[in-house]
Amino acid sequence: SGDAAAQLIETRESGDDVDAARVARWAFFGFILQAPWNHFFYMALDGAIPPTPEPFTVVTLEKVGIDQFVQAPVFTALIFVFFAVIEGKGLDYAKNQLQTTLVPTLLKNWAVFLPATFVNLAFLPNELRVLFLNSVFFFWVIYLSLTVNAAPTAAEE
């Protein structure tokens, strides 16, 4: 649904139809990669570093740091590679996109997900964490979809 919203933004002036195959690719990504990744990552994180009853602790900051500065760069890179491969653009395209787009995307990711992850880890029980992140991720997918599907610049071609 995030990609469908992104396509509505992309096509609002042109009047083009929504690319159903692209929506299906993003749904496939969410089903086989994003949802299981988040589920098992947060289970492992809480297993390794149990939550504390108080929200404002060093433990919470450690967990946010692991999430945002270890997990997020790996997962974001995986997103670019996944879509380059599934769309038939290949690993060279993914490598180039990572070199040109990963750092700016991570900077935007941290602007959104540092506070969201803190709220998630500090205040929500484990059983609500993936639901909360999926709510935030819906809007993030709009941005990612627009980024991943942006027309390549002259440097990227």
Side-chain angles (χ1 to χ4, degrees):
S1 59
D3 177 68
Q7 288 190 56
L8 291 174
I9 293 168
E10 288 174 333
T11 61
R12 70 177 166 234
E13 291 179 14
S14 68
D16 292 341
D17 291 333
V18 169
D19 180 349
R22 185 174 129 184
V23 172
R25 285 191 297 272
W26 277 92
F28 182 67
F29 160 78
F31 182 70
I32 67 146
L33 193 59
Q34 186 260 330
W37 178 287
N38 281 341
H39 173 76
F40 289 112
F41 173 76
Y42 284 108
M43 284 182 60
L45 186 63
D46 278 344
I49 307 171
T52 60
E54 293 297 318
F56 301 104
T57 65
V58 172
V59 169
T60 302
L61 291 177
E62 288 173 344
K63 291 169 82 170
V64 170
I66 291 167
D67 180 80
Q68 287 303 297
F69 300 108
V70 177
Q71 183 273 150
V74 172
F75 188 68
T76 303
L78 189 59
I79 291 168
F80 285 113
V81 172
F82 177 88
F83 282 102
V85 170
I86 202 168
E87 292 173 355
K89 296 174 181 174
L91 292 177
D92 285 338
Y93 182 86
K95 181 182 174 186
N96 191 26
Q97 197 172 36
L98 288 172
Q99 290 171 341
T100 60
T101 311
L102 182 61
V103 171
T105 302
L106 284 173
L107 292 173
K108 289 181 177 83
N109 171 81
W110 293 327
V112 172
F113 281 99
L114 275 170
T117 300
F118 179 79
V119 167
N120 197 30
L121 294 173
F123 298 107
L124 296 177
N126 195 28
E127 60 271 9
L128 295 178
R129 289 188 181 155
V130 172
L131 177 63
F132 174 77
L133 279 185
N134 282 343
S135 300
V136 176
F137 204 72
F138 169 79
F139 296 99
W140 184 242
V141 166
I142 294 170
Y143 170 77
L144 283 178
S145 179
L146 293 170
T147 301
V148 167
N149 293 293
T153 64
E156 293 175 326
E157 292 179 344

